[in-house]
Amino acid sequence: MTERKPPGVSFESWIDRQIREGTERGLFDNLPGAGKPLPDQGKPYDEMWWVKQKLREENLSMPLPGTLALRKEAEEALAAAQGARSEAEVRKIVADINEKIAEGMRKAMSGPPLNLTPFDVEKVVREWRAHQPAGTPPPAPPAQPRPKRDGSWFRRWRRSS
């Protein structure tokens, strides 16, 4: 620790002497960032500068308000649907994001207005098919449900006889 300022010596000359002695001993050699410009120099003062610096160092992003996060997630879901390997996967991705969009429309979320409606599943599937290679056979249509029978087998048997 440095010694206390002796009485009768001005602060400026005392500090200058300590800096000069430290420089002569090599205390300021090889400091990190030596010769580099100061970061964020010339930018206006920001109260959250230390938070932004920490996020940059940790390679993180600022948390978005709820509506903007949902919009970003919807864009990522559409991109994932276009890169899907099967039609079933496309349908699942779109159904999942549509469920989140419907939930976001039902409840109040922070941020600007949502202005987002659920995606048309069939339209997304058509776009996905249009981007598939020509050699890929079209997937089989979904199985049709069996027609509902009226009554038990005994009633059907009695009507036929």
Side-chain angles (χ1 to χ4, degrees):
M1 190 157 130
T2 61
E3 77 259 12
R4 296 181 66 95
K5 180 183 90 57
V9 178
S10 70
F11 272 108
E12 185 174 349
S13 61
W14 178 67
I15 292 172
D16 288 338
R17 183 176 54 97
Q18 286 186 331
I19 292 173
R20 183 180 43 78
E21 289 173 358
T23 305
E24 290 170 358
R25 288 191 307 250
L27 294 178
F28 301 113
D29 297 342
N30 301 323
L31 290 176
K36 296 179 184 173
L38 295 173
D40 299 332
Q41 186 179 12
K43 293 184 181 177
Y45 177 73
D46 183 9
E47 293 177 357
M48 300 290 283
W49 69 268
W50 61 274
V51 174
K52 292 177 181 176
Q53 180 181 355
K54 184 67 174 171
L55 289 172
R56 270 195 310 268
E57 289 171 2
E58 299 293 328
N59 213 7
L60 301 172
S61 61
M62 287 289 283
L64 292 173
T67 54
L68 295 180
L70 185 56
R71 286 184 196 175
K72 183 177 179 183
E73 189 176 351
E75 288 177 12
E76 291 169 354
L78 279 181
Q82 291 302 320
R85 289 176 276 173
S86 68
E87 182 177 332
E89 189 177 347
V90 173
R91 290 180 184 279
K92 180 174 179 351
I93 292 170
V94 175
D96 290 346
I97 195 63
N98 279 348
E99 185 178 316
K100 290 180 181 180
I101 291 170
E103 183 180 337
M105 291 169 60
R106 281 192 304 269
K107 67 178 186 179
M109 296 177 77
S110 63
L114 184 58
N115 295 338
L116 192 62
T117 57
F119 297 108
D120 181 7
V121 178
E122 297 305 320
K123 180 181 177 189
V124 175
V125 168
R126 279 194 304 273
E127 291 172 1
W128 175 79
R129 283 184 190 152
H131 289 91
Q132 293 305 304
T136 308
Q144 297 294 326
R146 291 177 50 183
K148 185 178 177 186
R149 295 181 178 170
D150 53 338
S152 67
W153 67 271
F154 182 73
R155 286 188 183 152
R156 288 192 309 261
W157 177 74
R158 271 190 85 185
R159 268 190 249 138
S160 64
S161 48

